[in-house]
Amino acid sequence: MLPSLNAVKTFAVAARKKSFKLAAAELNVSATAVSHQVRNLEQWLGSKLFIRTAQQVQLSAAGEQLYSHIHGAMDDIEQGLMQLKRQQSRLLIHTTSAIATWLMPRIEHYRAQQGELAYQLITSEQIAVTGQELSNEISLRFGDTSTVPASQRVSQASYGLYQAPHKADESQVFIPTWKQKGLTEPPWQQFIANNNLNEQDFDRQYYDLEFLILQQAIAGRGYAFLPQTFAQDAVQQGLLVQSRWQPVPSEQGVYFYQGSTDKTAAAQHFMQWLQERG
């Protein structure tokens, strides 16, 4: 049976410090405990590792040989552990470009309220996460939430027309075409029917980027027909207002794609905060 890693680590620190007392201070143990661990290692090896004097300890030839083998390995282990800890503390967020635009202001609000959040945003129009998510990894999507558990839902969306506060071109309407496969088309016909409108009164233009639709509406070039999810920040900033017509509900919304089990504390806290604010 090999000696304990604790004994090997204690030896490495004592060898580096050339002092049992200094090693004990670094390891937060007594000098007697350091001496005990070193003695156990020496007994297992059958060889003295230190030459002990009244003033100091020096490595023996066997100690020099052992230290040359393990000090680099101990550094590698420490660096590996610290790298893994840093990786686990950084949140990996998989999402689409549209959700990223919606998410970024919320991340800034979170950081202002809760403190620093280390994260990496990874965008893809198709679902990129396969298999089991890492504990520091979440995936946000916009789509049909009718079969999504309530614990994974973030927000529910209704569709409406949004326009600039000043006079807008009331003949143009900008409608999204989703890049994400399998996503239900915006309920434009339902909106027309619910509000007793004449479809011929509108010239429809289709964009596959939601922020371009927002920019067209903000510039007063027409209406943006969007889920309230993507328009609400512009409304809150006074850049857009909702039209006089009633929005139509939908089963679409933002949700966590693979759930929230076995997540790091940082990931769980951020996910809960996001769900509470929608």
Side-chain angles (χ1 to χ4, degrees), residues 225-241:
F225 185 65
L226 285 173
Q228 137 275 336
T229 299
F230 300 129
Q232 60 186 350
D233 289 336
V235 171
Q236 290 175 359
Q237 295 167 18
L239 299 174
L240 291 177
V241 295

Side-chain angles (χ1 to χ4, degrees), residues 49-262:
L49 296 172
F50 289 97
I51 301 171
R52 296 164 174 81
T53 68
Q55 301 299 323
Q56 62 180 354
V57 293
Q58 293 182 338
L59 286 170
S60 66
E64 291 279 6
Q65 184 178 0
L66 179 60
Y67 187 59
S68 69
H69 287 303
I70 68 171
H71 82 279
M74 296 300 294
D75 289 343
D76 289 343
I77 291 172
E78 182 177 350
Q79 291 177 12
L81 289 170
M82 293 306 297
Q83 182 179 1
L84 181 59
K85 183 177 181 180
R86 287 192 296 270
Q87 289 174 347
Q88 289 295 298
S89 66
R90 186 177 74 244
L91 189 59
L92 303 179
I93 306 174
H94 296 267
T95 191
T96 64
S97 57
I99 296 298
T101 303
W102 168 87
L103 183 63
M104 290 302 296
R106 283 154 183 78
I107 290 178
E108 294 309 310
H109 291 161
Y110 178 88
R111 297 173 75 174
Q113 294 178 10
Q114 308 295 328
E116 187 63 27
L117 175 69
Y119 70 96
Q120 179 180 351
L121 198 60
I122 305 164
T123 61
S124 171
E125 303 314 314
Q126 305 305 321
I127 293 173
V129 179
T130 59
Q132 184 64 42
E133 285 182 329
L134 300 175
S135 59
N136 63 324
E137 183 177 39
I138 64 174
S139 183
L140 279 165
R141 281 294 182 269
F142 179 82
D144 186 352
T145 61
S146 61
T147 60
V148 175
S151 61
Q152 294 175 220
R153 298 178 192 172
V154 177
S155 69
Q156 203 71 23
S158 58
Y159 280 77
L161 283 183
Y162 298 89
Q163 63 186 97
H166 55 80
K167 182 68 175 177
D169 182 345
E170 296 188 354
S171 66
Q172 293 276 354
V173 57
F174 302 98
I175 303 175
T177 57
W178 306 118
K179 289 184 177 180
Q180 187 175 329
K181 293 181 179 179
L183 194 59
T184 304
E185 292 299 316
W188 172 247
Q189 297 299 329
Q190 183 183 347
F191 179 84
I192 290 291
N194 286 10
N195 286 282
N196 297 315
L197 296 173
N198 185 349
E199 188 174 6
Q200 302 305 315
D201 292 337
F202 298 96
D203 179 15
R204 287 170 290 169
Q205 303 293 326
Y206 292 89
Y207 286 56
D208 64 0
L209 292 174
E210 293 74 16
F211 79 88
L212 292 179
I213 292 177
L214 287 170
Q215 290 302 314
Q216 291 286 60
I218 290 170
R221 299 189 182 100
Y223 294 110
F225 185 65
L226 285 173
Q228 137 275 336
T229 299
F230 300 129
Q232 60 186 350
D233 289 336
V235 171
Q236 290 175 359
Q237 295 167 18
L239 299 174
L240 291 177
V241 295
Q242 186 171 304
S243 71
R244 61 186 181 276
W245 298 298
Q246 289 299 310
V248 292
S250 78
E251 293 184 335
Q252 294 177 345
V254 179
Y255 63 96
F256 296 115
Y257 172 57
Q258 289 190 320
S260 58
T261 59
D262 191 30

